[in-house]
Amino acid sequence: MTALEQLIEALRRLPGVGQKSAQRMAYHLLQHDRAGADTLARALQDAARNIGHCERCHTFSEAPVCPICQDRHRDARLLCVVESPADQAAMERTASYHGYYFVLQGRISPLDGVSTREIGVDQLLARAVDGQVEEVILATSFTAEGEATAHVLAEALRARGLRSTRLARGVPVGSELEYVDLGTIAHALVDRRAT
């Protein structure tokens, strides 16, 4: 395989990138942005070498314990469970959550051979029963696998006497009802609250 073919194959590993997109990226970097290609290569090597997982919450971190877990100003009574570091970053961007996190690094998917063991449920349960956590917020996705993961976690937490809640779902802010899918409207009706 030539160096160009290796680059294209490497770019195809990215989610949503097919053969043509990988070719376009490779040709662009080599033809128009050699400095960008060097920067990208160094950044990838540095990230692969220096970024691991936080010992406490399992998010990406260059230190043994990430900055969020080190922040003593956060509310230790709240523990938000998310599927990925990207989900954690989205929660942080809202600036409305000030507790701690546990990042599963996936979700239960029997068809893909992913069980509770692979996503660290035992570590989550040990963290949740530390004596400080009062509420575990299950912020998994609303896919079939995310729902199954939330259900399994809720049952395991309930068995240990811990309170768990699930993110609400419903009509997106700023949307018009006639354009919202029927499943979202149905869940919004079921999960409605008093005003």
Side-chain angles (χ1 to χ4, degrees):
M1 216 188 257
T2 68
L4 178 58
E5 290 169 337
Q6 288 177 1
L7 174 59
I8 291 168
E9 282 304 307
L11 290 168
R12 285 187 62 198
R13 290 176 169 258
L14 297 171
V17 176
Q19 180 71 27
K20 288 185 179 186
S21 294
Q23 284 178 326
R24 277 194 300 274
M25 288 181 216
Y27 292 147
H28 171 79
L29 288 169
L30 295 174
Q31 187 173 357
H32 301 292
D33 195 5
R34 290 278 176 139
D38 288 337
T39 300
L40 179 61
R42 278 192 307 277
L44 282 170
Q45 285 180 331
D46 288 347
R49 188 178 317 115
N50 298 320
I51 297 175
H53 293 283
C54 173
E55 295 170 355
R56 192 151 188 239
C57 74
H58 297 170
T59 195
F60 292 135
S61 179
E62 291 185 50
V65 178
C66 74
I68 290 175
C69 286
Q70 291 181 35
D71 184 352
R72 299 292 172 223
H73 294 99
R74 296 187 82 96
D75 189 346
R77 296 171 300 167
L78 299 174
L79 183 64
C80 182
V81 179
V82 294
E83 293 176 8
S84 70
D87 295 340
Q88 178 189 12
M91 292 289 291
E92 281 296 288
R93 284 193 305 273
T94 70
S96 60
Y97 176 72
H98 304 289
Y100 290 105
Y101 293 93
F102 188 89
V103 181
L104 295 171
Q105 298 292 344
R107 56 187 168 218
I108 297 170
S109 179
L111 293 176
D112 297 321
V114 180
S115 69
T116 57
R117 188 179 22 236
E118 285 79 26
I119 61 172
V121 172
D122 290 339
Q123 295 96 327
L124 166 63
L125 295 174
R127 171 95 185 271
V129 296
D130 68 0
Q132 292 183 303
V133 175
E134 294 176 11
E135 177 184 358
V136 178
I137 302 166
L138 302 174
T140 57
S141 63
F142 291 104
T143 63
E145 293 89 356
E147 291 283 4
T149 302
H151 176 75
V152 167
L153 295 177
E155 292 298 316
L157 291 163
R158 186 175 302 117
R160 285 159 180 79
L162 290 167
R163 177 176 176 242
S164 67
T165 56
R166 183 86 166 105
L167 282 185
R169 55 186 159 188
V171 180
V173 173
S175 64
E176 295 186 31
L177 204 54
E178 67 181 290
Y179 300 113
V180 176
D181 68 276
L182 300 178
T184 300
I185 294 172
H187 284 296
L189 279 169
V190 170
D191 295 337
R192 69 190 182 276
R193 60 182 171 83
T195 59

